[in-house]
Amino acid sequence: HVRSDPAFAPAFESIMGLLTLLLPGYAREGRAYLTVAFGCTGGRHRSVAAAEAAASALESAGWANAVVH
């Protein structure tokens, strides 16, 4: 449902683009973690879907991650 929203893909691609740009720098600096939070207030679980999609994309790119809801 969430991914079928026409606004999801461009927003998600922008977020992932930013993360993939920043993560190597954090790693070079020896940072142990980076916290990324998704939130929504509409009761439609968009933040859950976005967090799970981001975790999957990061894992596919080789970045270890954990999702906490």
Side-chain angles (χ1 to χ4, degrees):
H1 168 73
V2 174
R3 289 180 184 232
S4 67
D5 183 327
F8 179 82
F12 185 75
E13 289 171 13
S14 293
I15 292 165
M16 295 311 298
L18 178 61
L19 287 175
T20 56
L21 176 70
L22 294 176
L23 282 170
Y26 278 89
R28 278 191 306 275
E29 292 177 4
R31 305 290 178 167
Y33 64 90
L34 170 68
T35 300
V36 178
F38 293 92
C40 64
T41 59
R44 301 176 100 187
H45 307 299
R46 290 174 291 236
S47 61
V48 173
E52 294 293 335
S56 178
L58 290 170
E59 185 174 334
S60 293
W63 293 101
N65 65 84
V67 177
V68 178
H69 296 290

